Amino acid sequence: MKSVLFVCLGNICRSPIAEGVARKLIEEGGHGIAVDSAGTGSWHVGEAPCKHSVTVARNNGVDISHLRARQVTKADFQAFDLIVALDASNYRDLRAMGCQNLVKLGDYGYGGADVPDPYFFDGFEGFENVYTMIRECVSELLSKHL
Ligand code: 4NP
């Protein structure tokens, strides 16, 4: 695998964490894999990741503050070797767009579970759990697809 794209709904909470975690693991491993993230929706295009995602990532040594949200396009399905959906609705939306090279992040060590959408969480609580799930799944995914 030479490139991977993580996709959630808004590209401001979950997939930027996945992108940051993957980039760090890839750099540490010396692997030349390109990483990006995107959202199926357009509401937050151009925005930085939400503050709790930036904080939980920073607490774990990952800087995602410079990332900016963008919307996924069909061209991404050709441009990236693997597209990774963060939950079942993201997976369905991407399939409906014609994406074939598609997996779900929770299939890597979490029995296919959805990464919960933290956008509607009340405060910071919950972001630690989301971060842990994303880090463990991304690590498993990279070890399977390197
Ligand atoms: P994300 O979280 O998909 O993890 O970036 C969300 C961000 C925004 C919205 C939903 C989820 N929204 O409805 O605007």
Side-chain angles (χ1 to χ4, degrees), residues 63-116:
D63 180 16
I64 61 169
S65 61
H66 58 286
L67 300 181
R68 295 295 178 266
R70 73 173 181 87
Q71 190 172 21
V72 70
T73 69
K74 287 183 183 180
D76 287 317
F77 307 155
Q78 269 76 54
F80 290 88
D81 292 329
L82 192 66
I83 313 290
V84 185
L86 275 279
D87 69 25
S89 71
N90 309 143
Y91 189 96
R92 274 195 303 275
D93 290 342
L94 289 161
R95 266 273 187 260
M97 290 174 71
C99 185
Q100 300 295 323
N101 46 335
L102 179 63
V103 296
K104 189 174 159 187
L105 188 61
D107 282 332
Y108 295 86
Y110 272 73
D114 291 338
V115 178

Side-chain angles (χ1 to χ4, degrees), residues 21 108-110 131-141:
V21 165
Y108 295 86
Y110 272 73
Y131 185 91
T132 300
M133 178 178 180
I134 289 175
R135 188 194 60 225
E136 290 179 355
C137 290
V138 167
S139 175
E140 176 79 4
L141 180 144

Side-chain angles (χ1 to χ4, degrees), residues 8-16 43-44 90 116-120:
C8 63
L9 180 59
N11 193 208
I12 55 167
C13 297
R14 294 165 293 173
S15 59
W43 310 282
H44 299 280
N90 309 143
D117 187 345
Y119 189 65
F120 303 103

